[in-house]
């Protein structure tokens, strides 16, 4: 919090660190026809008496953007760090349904739905399964315990009518604050690409040199990679648009990529990759639909949709799955929103906010961040003028 002039909340806190991110000087960074300034300060709940030091694992990040005709937009978030065992393997802020043999393995192999859970076929979870409904599950199809070998029993590994567990909140304003500055490439909603630390559109020669030529701006709706060649390593951020991947992975040597989209993410045709951004594989401000055998292998990553999620066709994950079901910070759920392409990729229905089918495996280690540290958004507010 004290980078630059050594005083918090003056706008130069991110001018030299974190070193992996784009430095943001106190004068701000240009963005289109405007600019934005970011300040970091201690949060009001910290009682150590020192505004320039953090003692409770929480800080306030304030981003103020200014544009034409004096327009401004200020977003403030409080983020916190915890050292708990980390994310559950599966978390749905709504209904959760499975079919056709699902396996959840690893140290954090637990699944929870804040509403009901339904399973029409075998569901194996090595730790526990819980949900917020009073309705029973199909216990004859559930196994739990060490190596999925112990029959599920109410009160032991299967829990009903449980309290809600709050998912992480990565809506679009939060994506813009946390992930956009970390992106190697910004795939913009006008069909152009910019790279980290620049507001200048990459030229065709630069795009070719960076191995990005196979990214196609499709019909003014989404960025699409359909090439058989590997996606170049990088953190990709789709600004105001969707992402569709129909190839571009490799099961032998998976490329290191992280995909962040303000819109929806759709993946098919079997690409495999591992996250480049520590702890994050796919993050969507809308829906995620995966209909392929995808292996996020080697190092784990979060697969997260702010909306709904649907996973089918023998997918394999190393990490954690969360569907936030458009959860607001006040604990309620928002509307099933259209993505930037004009239609919902995963329709809200009786099948629930998260549905997994067709021999999918989730391998969930401890943690959820670096060394088990989890960064979560505690509160957020936005003011526009």
């Amino acid at each position: 919090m004290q980078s630059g002039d050594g005083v918090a909340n003056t706008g130069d806190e991110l001018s030299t660190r974190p070193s992996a991110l784009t430095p943001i000087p106190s004068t701000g960074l240009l963005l289109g026809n405007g600019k934005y300034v970011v300040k970091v300060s201690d949060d009001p709940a910290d009682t150590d008496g020192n505004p320039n030091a953090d003692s409770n694992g929480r800080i306030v990040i304030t981003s103020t953007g200014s544009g034409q005709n004096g327009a401004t937009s200020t977003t403030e978030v409080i983020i916190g760090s915890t050292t708990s065992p980390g994310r559950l393997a599966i978390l749905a802020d709504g209904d959760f349904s499975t079919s056709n043999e699902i396996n959840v393995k690893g140290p954090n192999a637990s699944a929870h739905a804040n509403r009901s859970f339904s399973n029409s076929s075998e569901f194996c979870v090595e730790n526990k399964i819980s949900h917020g409904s009073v309705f029973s599950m199909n216990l004859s199809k559930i196994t739990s315990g060490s190596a999925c070998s112990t029959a599920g029993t109410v009160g032991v590994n299967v829990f009903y009518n449980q309290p809600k567990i709050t998912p992480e909140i990565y809506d679009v304003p939060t994506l813009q604050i946390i992930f956009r500055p970390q992106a190697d490439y910004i795939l913009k909603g006008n069909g152009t690409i910019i790279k980290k630390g620049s507001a200048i559109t990459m030229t065709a020669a630069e795009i070719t040199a960076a191995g990005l030529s196979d990214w196609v701006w499709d019909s003014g709706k989404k960025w699409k990679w359909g090439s058989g060649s590997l996606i170049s390593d990088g953190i990709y951020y789709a600004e105001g648009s969707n992402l569709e991947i129909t190839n571009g992975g490799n099961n032998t040597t998976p490329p290191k990529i992280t995909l962040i989209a303000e819109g929806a993410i759709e993946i098919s045709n079997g690409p495999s990759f591992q996250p480049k951004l520590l702890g994050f594989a796919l993050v969507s401000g809308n829906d995620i639909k995966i209909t392929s055998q995808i292996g996020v292998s080697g190092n784990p990553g979060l697969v997260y949709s702010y909306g709904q999620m649907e996973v089918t066709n023998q997918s394999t994950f190393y990490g954690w799955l969360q569907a936030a079901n458009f959860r607001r910070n006040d604990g309620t759920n928002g509307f099933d929103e259209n993505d930037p392409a004009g239609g919902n990729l995963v329709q809200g229905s009786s099948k629930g906010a998260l549905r997994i089918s067709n021999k999918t495996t989730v391998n969930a280690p401890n943690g959820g961040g670096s060394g088990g540290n989890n960064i979560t958004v505690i509160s957020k507010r936005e003011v526009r003028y």
Side-chain angles (χ1 to χ4, degrees):
M1 294 191 304
Q2 305 177 51
S3 187
D5 61 8
V7 179
N9 208 36
T10 59
D12 63 357
E13 291 77 40
L14 301 181
S15 60
T16 61
R17 62 184 183 184
S19 60
L21 308 185
T22 302
I24 303 177
S26 60
T27 54
L29 285 179
L30 296 177
L31 180 63
N33 294 321
K35 71 173 185 178
Y36 65 94
V37 175
V38 179
K39 299 181 179 181
V40 182
S41 63
D42 204 2
D43 79 299
D46 197 335
T47 58
D48 64 357
N50 184 355
N52 297 316
D54 172 59
S55 64
N56 66 347
R58 296 185 177 189
I59 59 174
V60 181
I61 300 177
T62 304
S63 176
T64 301
S66 58
Q68 295 177 326
N69 301 320
T72 65
S73 176
T74 299
T75 301
E76 177 188 275
V77 297
I78 298 178
I79 63 173
S81 173
T82 66
T83 56
S84 66
R87 303 181 178 110
L88 302 177
I90 296 171
L91 175 59
D93 194 28
D95 298 325
F96 171 41
S97 65
T98 69
S99 61
N100 196 8
E101 192 179 331
I102 311 303
N103 295 299
V104 184
K105 303 178 180 181
N108 267 15
S110 294
H112 177 83
N114 280 334
R115 290 202 283 265
S116 66
F117 168 76
S118 62
N119 60 304
S120 60
S121 59
E122 290 76 14
F123 181 76
C124 167
V125 56
E126 288 190 345
N127 289 342
K128 68 177 184 178
I129 171 77
S130 58
H131 64 74
S133 172
V134 297
F135 298 105
S136 63
M137 300 178 239
N138 187 351
L139 294 179
S140 67
K141 299 291 186 180
I142 293 177
T143 58
S144 59
S146 178
C148 298
S149 60
T150 303
T153 305
V154 176
V156 178
N157 292 105
V158 182
F159 300 89
Y160 301 86
N161 199 22
Q162 296 298 297
K164 288 185 176 181
I165 297 177
T166 304
E168 296 163 55
I169 305 299
Y170 295 127
D171 57 6
V172 171
T174 305
L175 297 183
Q176 293 170 346
I177 292 173
I178 295 178
F179 294 105
R180 192 184 189 280
Q182 302 187 66
D184 296 305
Y185 303 104
I186 312 295
L187 309 178
K188 296 178 69 65
N190 61 3
T192 61
I193 303 175
I194 62 175
K195 56 185 176 181
K196 180 187 288 187
S198 174
I200 301 174
T201 298
M202 295 179 68
T203 65
E206 290 173 326
I207 289 173
T208 299
L212 309 180
S213 298
D214 288 320
W215 281 108
V216 176
W217 178 236
D218 183 39
S219 303
K221 296 180 179 181
K222 60 188 174 185
W223 283 95
K224 183 175 181 179
W225 185 285
S227 169
S229 59
L230 291 181
I231 300 175
S232 298
D233 290 355
I235 303 169
Y236 295 89
Y237 185 98
E239 183 178 81
S241 58
N242 298 339
L243 285 174
E244 181 179 345
I245 311 295
T246 60
N247 216 316
N250 184 295
N251 289 318
T252 303
T253 308
K256 293 182 178 180
I257 64 173
T258 294
L259 303 176
I260 313 291
E262 294 181 5
I265 299 176
E266 182 172 10
I267 298 179
S268 62
N269 200 28
S272 294
F273 58 88
Q274 56 182 316
K276 182 181 180 185
L277 180 60
L278 183 66
F280 294 94
L282 309 173
V283 181
S284 167
N286 201 272
D287 295 336
I288 287 180
K289 186 173 185 178
I290 300 175
T291 57
S292 70
Q293 186 172 354
I294 174 174
V296 185
S297 61
N299 61 72
L302 175 65
V303 176
Y304 174 94
S305 63
Y306 181 61
Q308 286 92 30
M309 185 185 302
E310 184 172 34
V311 177
T312 67
N313 199 17
Q314 303 183 46
S315 297
T316 300
F317 299 94
Y318 294 83
W320 316 269
L321 273 61
Q322 285 192 21
N325 200 20
F326 300 104
R327 183 188 177 96
R328 300 186 181 103
N329 285 313
D330 63 3
T332 62
N333 294 96
F335 296 106
D336 189 4
E337 300 175 5
N338 287 337
D339 60 46
N344 291 329
L345 185 63
V346 181
Q347 297 289 336
S349 69
S350 60
K351 294 182 179 179
L354 174 59
R355 46 255 202 192
I356 305 176
S357 64
N358 198 6
K359 299 183 179 180
T360 290
T361 299
V362 180
N363 298 281
N366 281 323
S370 177
N373 293 318
N374 304 301
I375 305 300
T376 59
V377 176
I378 297 168
S379 67
K380 176 175 63 65
R381 62 180 179 176
E382 184 175 6
V383 179
R384 295 176 181 266
Y385 293 101

